[in-house]
């Protein structure tokens, strides 16, 4: 019996030692084993480390057309009727015989009209026209002539959509509000309006346009005097924490950011037209444009700096009479503002190739070769090499040196 008890005790002792020994062995060789374990971990980690690109390649839409970005965009504005009519050939000839190289072509113009006939079943079907009968053929011609194509889309000034959908617009006494020119706007607060315009931009990209230029990216002028009078739905911004100015600025900036994100798979640049004076103030309170915030979300910023559109500014009493000085003074301010951005866009201002008779009681200052060249020279001297010419009727001054 005693022998049996001894055997049991011995067995228990052996079992206890078998549990304790590994712990003792580990403790005694902790430093050496730790070094081995660390080395082993590092080797395993090294095998798993991969050098990945910053951005994983995504699908990018290919229109099938091949355009090269010019040394510097020097372009003209082209309406739908001009693009689809007899004037188009004259405009092509202008570009081919000068240092111009680009066209900004209306796809959606100021009243909300689409300049071509969209396919049936789209939201744009009832606002289409036959100005441009075959957009693809137009783009193929531009490709052949090596003319860089930019699609202009007017966003929030849209009488057609406002009349069709008053709930997306601003109303007064139950009717769609219109400004003094009889123009209606849709609301930047409405994300349905964002999508309406960006989906059209995607169609333009699919046609072959290399850049989408959004215009009227703002609230109506003087909106700060009407925001408490007009009726409108603030959508997702109803609970915005901040004053009405910041609410408008945020909505406009958010739209630009949304548009650029949505178009990222289409291999197009995104640009925005903006009031030039927005660069000279922290932000335009009524229209919701903050120059720096918009510029931070685009590839190209196009300030509208027509001398005729400025009142006394920069110490210039009558800017329309001094195009060189106005543009030069503006360019200095813009350069300073863009210079503060981490990743500034290309500056490509709109300049004036038209007269402004509404400013004069007597003879109107004529804008010709000297005035157009003066504006370009002012930009170039301030390091801005790109520009766009505006003439509403697309009748541009002849014999201009576009690289003075």
């Amino acid at each position: 019996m005693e022998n049996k008890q001894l055997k049991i005790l011995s067995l228990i002792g052996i079992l206890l030692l078998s549990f304790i020994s590994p712990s003792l062995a580990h403790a005694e060789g902790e430093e050496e084993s730790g070094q081995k374990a660390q080395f082993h971990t590092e080797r395993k980690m090294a095998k798993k480390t991969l050098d990945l690109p910053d951005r994983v390649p995504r699908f990018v839409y290919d229109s099938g057309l091949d355009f090269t970005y010019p040394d510097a965009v020097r372009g003209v504005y082209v309406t739908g009727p001009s693009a689809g009519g007899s004037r188009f050939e004259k405009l092509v000839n202008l570009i081919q015989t000068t240092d111009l190289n680009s066209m900004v072509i209306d796809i959606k113009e100021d009243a909300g009209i689409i300049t071509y006939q969209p396919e049936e079943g789209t939201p744009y079907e009832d606002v289409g026209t036959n100005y441009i009968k075959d957009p693809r053929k137009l783009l193929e011609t531009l490709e052949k002539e090596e003319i860089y194509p930019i699609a202009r889309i007017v966003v929030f000034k849209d009488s057609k959509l406002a009349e069709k959908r008053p709930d997306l617009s601003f109303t007064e006494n139950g009717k769609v509000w219109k400004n003094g020119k009889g123009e209606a706007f849709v609301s930047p607060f409405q994300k349905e309006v964002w999508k309406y315009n960006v989906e059209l931009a995607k169609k333009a990209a699919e046609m072959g346009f290399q850049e989408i230029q959004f215009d009227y990216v703002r609230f109506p002028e003087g909106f700060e005097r009407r925001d408490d009078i007009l009726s409108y739905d603030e959508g997702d911004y109803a609970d915005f924490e901040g004053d009405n100015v910041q609410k408008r600025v945020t909505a406009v900036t958010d739209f630009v950011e949304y548009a650029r994100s949505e178009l990222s798979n289409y291999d197009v640049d995104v640009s925005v037209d903006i009031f030039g004076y927005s660069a000279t103030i922290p932000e335009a309170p009524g229209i919701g444009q903050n120059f720096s915030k918009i510029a931070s979300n685009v590839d190209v910023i196009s300030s509208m700096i027509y001398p005729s559109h400025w009142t006394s500014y920069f110490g210039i009493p009558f800017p329309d009479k001094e195009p060189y000085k106005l543009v030069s003074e503006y360019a200095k301010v813009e350069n300073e503002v863009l210079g503060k951005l981490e990743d500034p866009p290309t500056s490509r201002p709109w300049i004036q190739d038209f007269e402004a008779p509404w400013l004069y009681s007597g003879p109107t200052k004529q804008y010709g070769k000297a005035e157009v060249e003066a504006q370009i020279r002012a930009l170039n001297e301030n390091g801005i090499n790109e520009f766009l010419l505006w003439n509403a009727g697309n009748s541009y001054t002849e014999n201009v040196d576009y690289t003075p």
Side-chain angles (χ1 to χ4, degrees):
M1 183 71 178
E2 291 179 357
N3 289 338
K4 188 174 181 181
Q5 288 176 338
L6 286 172
K7 287 181 180 179
I8 291 171
L9 289 171
S10 297
L11 182 60
I12 291 172
I14 292 170
L15 288 171
L16 286 171
L17 285 172
S18 69
F19 282 108
I20 294 169
S21 295
S23 298
L24 290 172
H26 177 71
E28 290 170 354
E30 185 174 1
E31 183 176 348
E32 181 181 353
S33 299
Q35 290 174 346
K36 288 181 180 179
Q38 183 181 9
F39 179 70
H40 178 65
T41 303
E42 287 175 352
R43 290 188 63 189
K44 286 184 73 177
M45 289 291 287
K47 287 180 180 178
K48 289 183 178 180
T49 300
L50 298 175
D51 292 327
L52 295 174
D54 293 336
R55 294 180 64 187
V56 178
R58 296 180 297 174
F59 167 77
V60 176
Y61 187 89
D62 183 0
S63 69
L65 299 179
D66 185 21
F67 291 93
T68 300
Y69 193 94
D71 63 311
V73 167
R74 297 179 290 273
V76 295
Y77 165 61
V78 181
T79 65
S82 290
S86 58
R87 185 175 289 274
F88 181 69
E89 187 176 338
K90 183 177 181 180
L91 292 169
V92 169
N93 183 65
L94 171 67
I95 291 175
Q96 294 291 50
T97 56
T98 65
D99 285 321
L100 295 172
N101 52 37
S102 307
M103 286 186 179
V104 179
I105 300 174
D106 273 345
I107 289 299
K108 177 170 173 267
E109 52 95 90
D110 295 25
I113 292 172
I114 310 300
T115 58
Y116 68 96
Q117 190 59 58
E119 60 269 27
E120 293 182 5
T122 68
Y124 322 103
E125 181 182 358
D126 59 345
V127 291
T129 67
N130 287 317
Y131 290 151
I132 303 174
K133 294 180 176 60
D134 189 340
R136 180 67 179 193
K137 185 177 179 181
L138 172 71
L139 269 297
E140 289 171 351
T141 299
L142 296 178
E143 178 190 39
K144 178 183 176 183
E145 301 295 342
E146 299 182 345
I147 297 174
Y148 192 72
I150 301 168
R152 176 177 179 255
I153 293 178
V154 175
V155 183
F156 297 116
K157 188 168 92 166
D158 191 331
S159 295
K160 290 291 186 181
L161 183 57
E163 291 164 2
K164 181 180 179 180
R165 292 285 305 278
D167 59 308
L168 300 177
S169 184
F170 307 101
T171 61
E172 186 173 26
N173 299 322
K175 296 182 179 179
V176 172
W177 172 84
K178 295 182 180 180
N179 63 18
K181 298 177 181 178
E183 302 161 331
F185 280 67
V186 285
S187 174
F189 290 132
Q190 294 297 316
K191 293 184 177 179
E192 187 176 346
V193 175
W194 297 10
K195 184 175 181 180
Y196 178 83
N197 284 277
V198 171
E199 291 303 311
L200 181 63
K202 291 177 182 179
K203 294 181 183 298
E206 291 168 1
M207 292 175 193
F209 282 98
Q210 299 298 289
E211 179 176 318
I212 307 300
Q213 181 188 93
F214 293 107
D215 199 359
Y216 285 86
V217 184
R218 60 178 178 82
F219 286 79
E221 289 179 85
F223 194 77
E224 70 275 22
R225 298 188 301 272
R226 302 184 182 93
D227 58 351
D228 293 331
I229 300 172
L230 300 178
S231 299
Y232 51 94
D233 182 359
E234 293 181 334
D236 291 346
Y237 296 89
D239 298 323
F240 179 84
E241 294 184 3
D243 61 28
N244 286 347
V245 172
Q246 291 306 313
K247 185 184 295 186
R248 289 192 287 273
V249 167
T250 301
V252 169
T253 305
D254 286 352
F255 164 75
V256 177
E257 186 176 0
Y258 165 81
R260 193 182 196 189
S261 175
E262 286 291 306
L263 291 166
S264 61
N265 286 349
Y266 286 82
D267 196 25
V268 292
D269 283 341
V270 173
S271 60
V272 164
D273 296 339
I274 189 169
F275 280 141
Y277 82 86
S278 293
T280 71
I281 55 178
E283 51 206 6
I287 62 176
Q289 287 186 340
N290 180 303
F291 187 91
S292 295
K293 289 181 179 180
I294 291 176
S296 296
N297 286 288
V298 294
D299 302 294
V300 179
I301 192 77
S302 288
S303 299
M304 298 172 285
I305 56 173
Y306 319 119
S308 62
H309 283 40
W310 297 77
T311 57
S312 177
Y313 222 87
F314 304 120
I316 307 171
F318 204 144
D320 190 58
K321 293 181 178 180
E322 299 189 62
Y324 172 84
K325 189 173 182 181
L326 182 283
V327 172
S328 182
E329 292 302 314
Y330 170 81
K332 293 171 186 175
V333 173
E334 186 189 84
N335 283 341
E336 183 178 350
V337 175
L338 292 180
K340 295 177 182 178
L341 301 183
E342 183 177 340
D343 185 19
T346 297
S347 172
R348 187 196 300 152
W350 281 101
I351 60 175
Q352 180 171 332
D353 192 358
F354 59 87
E355 285 75 44
W358 61 88
L359 296 177
Y360 300 85
S361 57
T364 298
K365 178 175 176 58
Q366 298 299 298
Y367 266 64
K369 173 179 167 66
E371 288 73 21
V372 173
E373 289 179 0
Q375 294 172 85
I376 298 170
R377 189 180 307 110
L379 290 174
N380 292 168
E381 290 174 357
N382 284 280
I384 301 173
N385 298 312
E386 301 201 3
F387 63 85
L388 300 170
L389 293 168
W390 180 272
N391 181 287
N394 304 160
S395 180
Y396 296 98
T397 300
E398 297 180 355
N399 302 316
V400 171
D401 180 0
Y402 294 109
T403 54

